[in-house]
């Protein structure tokens, strides 16, 4: 169905700007069809090539998608801050927030930067990584069997994944992503102009048959979480890892990216695809969940080609990760007291997650969360459950922003939920479901 919004402009940039403004203010909601190139060119009195260039720019920026004979439409999660974005809503006042996916502040160490910062030579481009931190990062990966022959740094997981995808793929290419999956990754791919192919997830991670279908659909990269999968809390089993490797071995040109963002607090062992001899692979690790969200630092282990492409793009942008930040991270990663605090955090997060799942189970409510900081509860009506729990003083995350084609649910962050409060939350959850069985479902 053609849109009623009047697109304006006499240049490609002007036409693209007109569309982007309409998407941003809601005049062109997700799914809206743009006029065919030749018709819009005739309406605006410009050449078809000018309109085609404008549409190409919009595709590259993830604002629109082209669906062959289906024409050009506004993307479901356009990257211009529209109502279709997957950004979480603001937490209402007066409620206990269990929606953010954040760690318990009680288990985060104090961030102590270097006591003295010596002015550098003006550029660290020739030595972007502190040798001591690089050695620690290698041991970090090797502890779990991840090959660490090629290691580099980035400004957090999303920065790293975005750079890997930008270096490997081109606008319009397809990337396989978990469904349900991490909402910021699901926003990142369209922003890069990439097409998401959803891959179904169960408690053991991405499902082999779904991955096989995604590769057949043309996916040139796969992004997944081997443990603490958000929002489901899934983790690869040894059997699932073998099944996925069997699928990926038949597609050696595909880049496999693992986001192991809770490597030290997941509560389960790692069964990584990176240890399976794949030619193109990468694993990203961050410290924001166990050392502090202000530490925007990530370590990347990957194949030689991915390293060269990642660092080539990094060199053209920020050049390197702050050495002051690197020194701060190094101190924490090598501090015995911090290591003991992180170990206590992992034990507490496991106990809290399992306590809520157990209490929900005792009330006949199915919940998922084998690892990490969150629990996923399937429901029939997400909004009704979120609002119902809000009336009891709890704020949880509706599952819509984590989903592409999967069934509805809500995500509950259990990291800061003491074991003794699990029963009360589970009781309130059961009460909400019982208010109207025809509306709410567990």
């Amino acid at each position: 169905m053609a849109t009623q919004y009047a697109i304006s402009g006499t240049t490609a940039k002007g036409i693209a700007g007109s569309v982007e403004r309409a998407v941003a203010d809601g005049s062109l909601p997700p799914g809206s069809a743009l006029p065919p190139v030749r018709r819009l060119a005739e309406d605006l009195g410009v050449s078809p090539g000018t309109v085609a260039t404008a549409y190409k720019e919009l595709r590259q920026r993830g604002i629109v998608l082209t669906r062959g004979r289906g024409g050009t439409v506004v993307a479901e999660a356009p990257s211009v801050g529209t109502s279709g974005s997957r950004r979480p809503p603001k937490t209402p006042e007066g409620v206990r927030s269990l929606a953010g996916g954040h760690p318990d502040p009680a288990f985060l160490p104090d961030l102590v930067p270097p006591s003295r910062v010596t002015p550098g030579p003006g550029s660290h481009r020739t030595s972007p990584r502190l040798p001591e931190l690089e050695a620690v990062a290698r041991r970090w990966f090797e502890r779990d069997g991840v090959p660490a022959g090629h290691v580099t740094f980035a400004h957090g997981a999303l920065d790293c994944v975005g750079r890997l995808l930008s270096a490997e793929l081109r606008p319009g290419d397809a990337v396989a992503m978990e469904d349900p999956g991490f909402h910021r990754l699901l926003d990142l791919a369209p922003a890069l102009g990439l097409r998401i192919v959803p891959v179904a997830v169960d408690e053991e991670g991405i499902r082999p048959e779904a991955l096989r279908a995604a590769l057949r659909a043309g996916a040139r990269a796969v992004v997944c979480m081997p443990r603490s999968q958000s929002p489901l809390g899934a983790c690869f089993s040894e059997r699932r890892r073998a099944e996925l490797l069997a699928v990926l071995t038949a597609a050696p040109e595909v880049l496999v990216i693992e986001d192991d963002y809770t490597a030290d607090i997941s509560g389960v062992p790692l069964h990584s695809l990176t240890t399976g001899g794949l030619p193109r692979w990468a694993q990203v690790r961050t410290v924001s969940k166990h050392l502090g969200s202000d530490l925007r630092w990530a370590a990347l282990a990957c194949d030689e080609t991915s390293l060269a492409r990642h660092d080539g793009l990094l060199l053209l942008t920020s050049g390197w990760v702050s050495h002051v930040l690197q020194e701060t991270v190094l101190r924490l990663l090598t501090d015995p007291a911090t290591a003991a605090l992180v170990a206590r955090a992992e034990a507490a997060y496991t106990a809290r997650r399992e306590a809520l799942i157990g209490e929900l189970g005792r009330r006949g409510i199915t919940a998922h969360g084998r690892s990490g900081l969150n629990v996923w509860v399937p429901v029939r009506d997400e909004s009704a459950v979120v609002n119902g729990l809000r009336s009891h003083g709890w704020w949880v995350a509706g599952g819509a922003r984590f989903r592409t084609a999967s069934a509805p649910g809500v995500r509950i962050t259990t990291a800061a939920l003491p074991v003794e409060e699990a029963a009360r939350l589970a009781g309130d959850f059961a009460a909400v479901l019982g208010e109207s069985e025809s509306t709410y479902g567990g």
Side-chain angles (χ1 to χ4, degrees):
M1 178 177 176
T3 176
Q4 298 300 308
Y5 173 80
I7 298 172
S8 61
T10 57
T11 64
K13 187 172 292 293
I15 295 168
S18 173
V19 173
E20 183 172 352
R21 287 191 296 274
V23 172
D25 67 20
S27 300
L28 286 176
S32 299
L34 301 190
V37 169
R38 291 189 177 278
R39 195 176 80 199
L40 181 58
E42 184 177 334
D43 292 344
L44 298 178
V46 300
S47 72
T50 299
V51 176
T53 299
Y55 282 12
K56 179 180 179 181
E57 179 181 338
L58 292 166
R59 283 196 303 273
Q60 291 176 337
R61 298 180 57 204
I63 297 172
V64 303
L65 299 171
T66 297
R67 294 176 172 170
R69 294 184 178 180
T72 300
V73 300
V74 177
E76 289 301 317
S79 56
V80 292
T82 72
S83 59
S85 115
R86 298 175 186 270
R87 296 175 184 173
K90 184 178 180 180
T91 302
E93 294 184 5
V95 297
R96 175 84 170 277
S97 179
L98 303 175
H102 305 304
D104 186 343
F107 290 113
L108 298 178
D110 293 332
L111 303 185
V112 182
S115 58
R116 180 174 179 177
V117 179
T118 303
S123 174
H124 289 296
R125 292 180 186 273
T126 57
S127 56
R129 297 181 296 278
L130 293 180
E132 300 91 341
L133 183 56
E134 185 172 348
V136 168
R138 290 182 191 279
R139 292 195 296 270
W140 194 22
F141 286 113
E142 290 169 348
R143 179 195 70 188
D144 295 317
V146 177
H150 303 286
V151 170
T152 189
F153 302 158
H155 303 89
L158 287 174
D159 172 72
C160 188
V161 173
R163 192 173 293 110
L164 287 168
L165 292 176
S166 296
E168 187 72 20
L169 308 184
R170 294 293 176 266
D173 284 347
V175 55
M177 288 193 165
E178 297 164 328
D179 183 23
F182 184 44
H183 61 101
R184 298 195 187 281
L185 283 172
L186 295 176
D187 267 349
L188 176 63
L192 297 175
L194 304 177
R195 176 170 56 91
I196 292 177
V197 181
V199 180
V201 180
D202 60 23
E203 289 194 333
E204 295 182 70
I206 53 179
R207 295 166 55 180
E209 68 275 14
L211 177 60
R212 185 177 291 107
L215 297 180
R216 288 174 177 167
R220 294 188 53 205
V222 179
V223 181
C224 61
M225 295 180 177
R227 50 186 173 180
S228 301
Q229 193 271 345
S230 181
L232 199 66
C235 56
F236 289 165
S237 64
E238 188 171 358
R239 181 192 66 178
R240 178 59 55 86
R241 170 188 171 276
E243 293 171 340
L244 294 173
L245 284 173
V247 175
L248 291 166
T249 300
E253 72 286 355
V254 172
L255 173 63
V256 178
I257 303 173
E258 285 187 347
D259 180 3
D260 192 21
Y261 72 107
T262 61
D264 284 25
I265 53 173
S266 65
V268 295
L270 175 68
H271 298 290
S272 175
L273 299 174
T274 68
T275 62
L278 298 173
R280 300 301 315 282
W281 62 273
Q283 188 185 94
V284 186
R285 291 189 172 188
T286 60
V287 297
S288 60
K289 295 300 184 185
H290 71 281
L291 297 183
S293 60
D294 245 5
L295 298 177
R296 310 311 297 169
W297 176 86
L300 169 67
C302 57
D303 67 87
E304 186 175 6
T305 298
S306 296
L307 181 84
R309 292 177 178 178
H310 174 277
D311 281 5
L313 279 181
L314 181 64
L315 186 66
L316 294 173
T317 52
S318 62
W320 67 88
V321 176
S322 161
H323 278 211
V324 175
L325 172 59
Q326 291 188 45
E327 287 186 25
T328 303
V329 172
L330 175 62
R331 289 187 177 199
L332 291 171
L333 288 179
T334 55
D335 176 46
T338 298
L341 180 64
V342 171
R344 293 198 298 273
E346 182 176 40
Y349 295 153
T350 299
R352 293 171 181 182
R353 186 182 67 249
E354 293 178 349
L356 181 59
I357 292 174
E359 292 292 347
L360 289 170
R362 279 187 275 277
R363 292 162 176 80
I365 302 171
T366 299
H368 306 281
R370 290 188 174 185
S371 58
L373 309 181
N374 304 294
V375 167
W376 177 259
V377 187
V379 298
R380 294 178 187 167
D381 189 323
E382 295 174 358
S383 296
V385 171
V386 170
N387 291 325
L389 287 174
R390 177 182 178 180
S391 69
H392 288 270
W394 306 102
W395 184 245
V396 302
R401 72 176 186 266
F402 304 103
R403 299 187 292 107
T404 302
S406 57
V410 296
R411 190 190 74 172
I412 304 173
T413 299
T414 55
L417 181 71
V419 169
E420 57 270 20
E421 293 189 39
R424 181 166 68 88
L425 174 56
D428 290 341
F429 204 116
V432 168
L433 295 181
E435 288 173 1
S436 175
E437 194 63 31
S438 63
T439 303
Y440 311 119

